[in-house]
Structures are given as C-alpha cells and as structure tokens.
Amino acid sequence: MACTKTGVSIAVMLSLSHAAYGGDLEVLIRDEAGNPVEGAVVELINTGLPQPADWPQSAVIDQINKEFVEPVIAIVAGTSVSFPNSDDVHHHVYSFSPTKRFELPLYTGDPAAPVVFETPGVVTIGCNIHDWMVGYIYIGESHLMAISDMEGVGKIVDLPAGTYTARMWHKGLGVGQELTEFTVEVPAAGVAQHSVSLTEQPAFATRRAPLPGLRSY
Amino acid sequence: MEIKVNRDSKDPHRSLIKSAVVLLCVLLLQPASSLRAAESDAILSVRLAHHSNVPNAADDFNTFSDRLLQVDYNRDWRFVTSPGNWFSVGLLTQGDLWQQTSGMNRLAAGVAVGYSHKFGLGPEAPRLNLRSQWLYQEFDGSVRSGPVHSHSAALSRWIADNIQLSGSWSWTAQSAPSRRELLANPAFDVDVFNQEQQQLTIQADYLLYNSHALSAHLSATDGDTGASARPGSALLRIGEAIARDNGIDRGYLAYRVEARRYAAGLQWSMPLSMDSSLSLGAERRLARADAGVRYRETRVHLDYLKRF
Ligand SMILES: [Cu+2]
C-alpha cells in the first residue's frame, strides 16, 4: 500500500503540473496468470516535455518495524533521498548497485545527509543489520512516472496528445532484464489504456521468520 | 565390582559467578549509544517431540520411547558496537515435560553472551557467531540436576541466493554434584552426569521461493554420554560411573559412557507470519562406545516459534 500511496502522489503531482493538458495514460500490468502486479514503475521517456520548476527535489524512505516503509519509489535523476530511522534500534543502509553505491553506517534517528541519486537506473537498498530489509529506488530520466497500485494500474495524467515511448521496470523482471519498452498513443482527451504482460522471474527473499536452532544439551 | 573415577564435582556457584562477571564485562565495554539502541528479541519456542530411546539403552530390552513438550523462552539484547560487530547478552528459560518419564521433567534458567561478526555488507556476507551460555537445570529425578555450560563457534555463509552453509563447533560440560543418597551400592561412583562433549555440526539450509526452508544437518559428538539400563546390561562393562537412575526410574541404572555419537537430521520450516514459524524435523542418532556397545535413537519434533 506504500507503493499505492507513491503512485497516487506522483499522479496527483502530474495532474497539478500539467493542468493545461488533457489525455491520461493508464498502464495495466498483469503477470502471466493475469494477476495484477503491484510496484512496477512506468516512465515516459524522450517526451521533450519540460520538468516543472517546482518539481520535488527530495524524497524520503522511512524505516519502521525493521522494514523500509516504501518498498519502491520512483524519483527523477538529481533527487536527494533521506533515510530516517523511526525505529529505536540501529539501521545500516547500503547499496551495492552500480547506479549508486553508498553506505549509511549504524545510525538512529536521521542520518547526517541525504543521498543524491544523479544517474538514471535502479538501485537496490538493504540494511546490513536486518538482512531481510530490501527496497528499490527507480531513478528516471523524466519526471513522467507512475508506480502500479494493488490493481496493477500505473496512471500518468494530463499528457499532451501524441505517441510516447514508455519504459517499465519491476523487481521481478530479473537483473539486467528489468526494463521493457513499448509505445503508447495518448488522445487529446480521455484515457488511453495499455496492457503489459510481465513474465516475473521468481526471486528469493531473505527470510525474517525464525528457524529452530539445535539444543546442544 | 569397582568403577574408579577421579572427577571433581564442579561447584555450580563458581560457574554462575563466572557468568555474572563475563556478563558485566560485556555490558561495561559497550558504548553508551550502543546500549541505548540495544535490540531486544524474545523468542518463544514450543516443541512437541517423540524420542524413540529415552534411556539411550543399548538393547531392545531396555529401550522405550516417550513424548515430551519443550517450552523455551529466551530473550536476547544485541548491541551493535561498530559496523559488522555485535555483542549480545541473553536470558534463557527452558522447561521439559514428559508424558510418562516424569523423572526427566526439567526446568532450566541461565544466561548467555555472544559476539557476532559479519565479513562485509549484504545478506551473503559470511558470519561468525561465538556464544557461551551457563544454565542451571533441575530435574524431577535429581541425579541429572546441576549446571551446564557451553561455548560454541559457528561460521555461516549463503553460497547462492537460496543456499546457506554453516559449520559449528561446540563444547558442553555439565556437572551433577555427587549425591551419595542415590547410591545403589556403596562401591558405585555417582558422577554419571559430570560430562563433557565436543560437537562438530555442518548444516545446509535450502530456501524455497515461498520462504519455506529445508534444512539438513550432520553432526559428530565426542565425549561423555549418559546411558541407562536395568542391571545386567552390557553398559556395565564400559561404564565409567554408575548411579541409580531416579530420572528414568523403573529400576534403571545410569552409566557414564565414553562414546562417539553421529546424528543426521532433516527439517522443513514454514513461516506463519513475519515473526513466527512452524517446523517439522527428524533426527537419527547413532552412538558407538567401546566393546561394540552402541545405541540408536530417532527423534521427531514439531516446533512453533514466535519472535516478540
Ligand atoms: Cu536495519
């Protein structure tokens, strides 16, 4: 539901910034069995549409109950992200991803400085204390992005009519194959719907649930 | 008949004092910030188990099985002292309740200290865990009652996204002070449960996509073991100490035997929630002692674990 919130907030921001335009784009993302896929990022690239001057330059990924509150966020290149720790224990946030390597060793409360993500791509973040904590930051070239909600719908509103190239990413697409591209037609008014079928690669998640140990006596 | 053993019964108080000192030192060494952000986990473990050879008897005549309920409640406080380094202190409480063998009913409480190091970043970085624990255990049949302490070192590493290998070594010593009142015969030495063992274990955990885990382990234990039988058993030839076993009762005698024990086990574990799981496991044990004496046992267990 965190993804949903982010998706909605991006859609709202788009709606406020492009009130002059008319067409909406809804991308419906389903897996092979037809089930909606949550947390997929849709980005429109090479649009030539300028980014509004007041577009947010910062984002937040909070940590509560030893989890990242936002498992997926989508930001424009150049955005700074802060990683506050709302738990009363240490976290140690890091990324190995070539797009952005960083480490915020052992902290409680707010870390010293936010991290700036300059290069488009995908960054996987983790916590070195709680191995099960994992999150994804999608860094877009453009500001025209949405994250699919529980119904598998990513919505970008108030677009000028035309043909767009869209790019989609989901964590389940596997390393190196995360990005798929497609073109969509957006009308001057109304909603353009586009369906994407996604072949999810099953992925292992680090287990948080306890395992019995052996009593040695 | 004469069985000669020159073991001093260990003083349970010395062990407890030693553990309190270690605990205090570990706490004093922690930076204040680390103490404030200590992470506390309590784990409740409820196990239903079936043991096929409760007395570790070497022959069918003396072998019997029983079921038991084991409830453990352990609380650990972990202090991250620097990136990749943890100290921990823990409080342990354990209880065993047998269906028939009431003399084996047991209550235990104790403390633990540990140090963990992670060699690098990420879930796949190898981990080293060192742990020492001191427990005092009280059995309904008091011949086994006394302190038990252990030290262990374990190294684990994910060798693939879903396969973890670990190897561990542990040393365990338990002492049950001489209880002359338990003598069946004044010539017997009752230090049966003054025992020391070393154990090597290797374990592989295989994670499925749904976070269920299949685990397999092999272990070898070398050192003392307790085995019980009615008078006239082959254990008499190799027993290093003997006492009337008021834990097993039924007229059994308990022997301390030097043995090498091998165990192989399998376990399947499914998460019930983020912090709870249900597991089913089985272990087959074979112990070999001198003069061709051996005993076998199969243990089956169902575990519910809940982290608070
Ligand atoms: Cu953490």
Side-chain angles (χ1 to χ4, degrees), chain B residues 116-159:
Chain B
S116 299
H117 179 75
K118 197 171 173 188
F119 299 89
L121 282 178
E124 49 289 296
R127 271 172 190 272
L128 171 72
N129 289 303
L130 306 175
R131 190 172 169 92
S132 294
Q133 61 185 47
W134 294 265
L135 277 172
Y136 189 86
Q137 51 182 3
E138 190 69 44
F139 287 83
D140 277 3
S142 58
V143 68
R144 288 169 175 78
S145 298
V148 50
H149 59 279
S150 65
H151 308 289
S152 64
L155 199 58
S156 59
R157 172 167 207 175
W158 288 91
I159 56 160

Side-chain angles (χ1 to χ4, degrees), chain A residues 63 90-92 127 129-130 133:
Chain A
Q63 296 156 86
H90 285 108
H91 288 298
H92 178 165
C127 170
I129 299 175
H130 310 104
M133 287 174 67

Side-chain angles (χ1 to χ4, degrees), chain A residues 65-67 88-90 92 94 96 103 106 128 130-131 202-205 207-212 215 217, chain B residues 37 39 70 72 80 82 94 96 106 118 121-123 127 133 162 207 209 211 269 274-277 279 307:
Chain A
N65 190 23
K66 300 171 202 167
E67 299 286 355
D88 53 7
V89 299
H90 285 108
H92 178 165
Y94 68 87
F96 293 147
E103 195 178 339
L106 299 190
N128 200 41
H130 310 104
D131 283 334
F204 296 104
R207 176 175 157 137
R208 177 170 172 166
L211 266 174
R215 264 199 199 172
Y217 37 85
Chain B
E39 193 166 339
Q70 289 183 316
D72 291 13
V80 194
S82 58
Q94 304 176 347
D96 297 355
R106 167 183 174 273
K118 197 171 173 188
L121 282 178
R127 271 172 190 272
Q133 61 185 47
N162 64 329
L207 201 64
Y209 289 120
S211 288
S269 175
M274 238 169 24
D275 290 306
S276 61
S277 65
S279 310
R307 188 195 285 122

Side-chain angles (χ1 to χ4, degrees), chain B residues 3-308:
Chain B
I3 293 169
K4 185 168 166 281
V5 176
N6 291 318
R7 278 180 196 235
D8 294 329
S9 296
K10 285 161 194 159
D11 178 3
H13 301 295
R14 214 177 59 195
S15 186
L16 282 176
I17 292 166
K18 201 162 62 181
S19 57
V21 169
V22 174
L23 205 73
L24 200 65
C25 290
V26 168
L27 283 171
L28 288 174
L29 285 169
Q30 306 309 311
S33 61
S34 159
L35 287 179
R36 272 197 305 276
E39 193 166 339
S40 162
D41 268 353
I43 295 206
L44 170 73
S45 155
V46 179
R47 165 173 286 192
L48 286 173
H50 179 269
H51 292 189
S52 73
N53 184 359
V54 179
N56 292 339
D59 51 60
D60 291 347
F61 174 64
N62 289 299
T63 300
F64 66 90
S65 64
D66 201 359
R67 281 186 280 260
L68 79 154
L69 171 72
Q70 289 183 316
V71 180
D72 291 13
Y73 182 80
N74 301 330
R75 181 170 278 279
D76 268 338
W77 289 266
R78 280 191 301 283
F79 313 96
V80 194
T81 49
S82 58
N85 293 301
W86 290 261
F87 272 104
S88 65
V89 294
L91 290 177
L92 318 167
T93 51
Q94 304 176 347
D96 297 355
L97 187 67
W98 292 78
Q99 193 171 31
Q100 290 162 7
T101 322
S102 59
M104 296 285 279
N105 291 349
R106 167 183 174 273
L107 284 175
V111 293
V113 293
Y115 165 75
S116 299
H117 179 75
K118 197 171 173 188
F119 299 89
L121 282 178
E124 49 289 296
R127 271 172 190 272
L128 171 72
N129 289 303
L130 306 175
R131 190 172 169 92
S132 294
Q133 61 185 47
W134 294 265
L135 277 172
Y136 189 86
Q137 51 182 3
E138 190 69 44
F139 287 83
D140 277 3
S142 58
V143 68
R144 288 169 175 78
S145 298
V148 50
H149 59 279
S150 65
H151 308 289
S152 64
L155 199 58
S156 59
R157 172 167 207 175
W158 288 91
I159 56 160
D161 282 353
N162 64 329
I163 302 173
Q164 180 176 235
L165 285 186
S166 35
S168 65
W169 165 88
S170 71
W171 174 88
T172 307
Q174 76 178 87
S175 30
S178 283
R179 288 183 168 78
R180 290 284 157 193
E181 72 275 15
L182 296 174
L183 287 176
N185 177 320
F188 290 179
D189 188 305
V190 296
D191 287 336
V192 174
F193 294 100
N194 281 330
Q195 298 180 354
E196 274 183 33
Q197 300 114 28
Q198 290 194 70
Q199 186 175 66
L200 283 175
T201 304
I202 51 167
Q203 176 159 333
D205 300 309
Y206 182 82
L207 201 64
L208 306 174
Y209 289 120
N210 53 11
S211 288
H212 288 211
L214 296 172
S215 306
H217 73 264
L218 291 171
S219 72
T221 310
D222 194 22
D224 304 317
T225 185
S228 299
R230 295 186 183 97
S233 138
L235 291 168
L236 185 61
R237 280 181 284 143
I238 56 164
E240 295 176 332
I242 182 170
R244 187 161 61 82
D245 192 343
N246 67 359
I248 302 286
D249 229 341
R250 309 179 184 204
Y252 273 56
L253 296 172
Y255 302 84
R256 188 179 68 232
V257 175
E258 182 86 19
R260 187 160 283 190
R261 193 178 73 212
Y262 303 94
L266 285 172
Q267 179 176 267
W268 161 80
S269 175
M270 68 177 281
L272 294 176
S273 70
M274 238 169 24
D275 290 306
S276 61
S277 65
L278 194 68
S279 310
L280 184 66
E283 189 184 59
R284 178 75 176 151
R285 296 174 164 208
L286 168 67
R288 288 195 178 124
D290 287 344
V293 172
R294 54 180 61 190
Y295 65 79
R296 292 182 174 79
E297 187 179 32
T298 303
R299 296 182 171 188
V300 181
H301 55 89
L302 179 71
D303 295 86
Y304 169 76
L305 265 76
K306 169 80 184 155
R307 188 195 285 122
F308 298 94

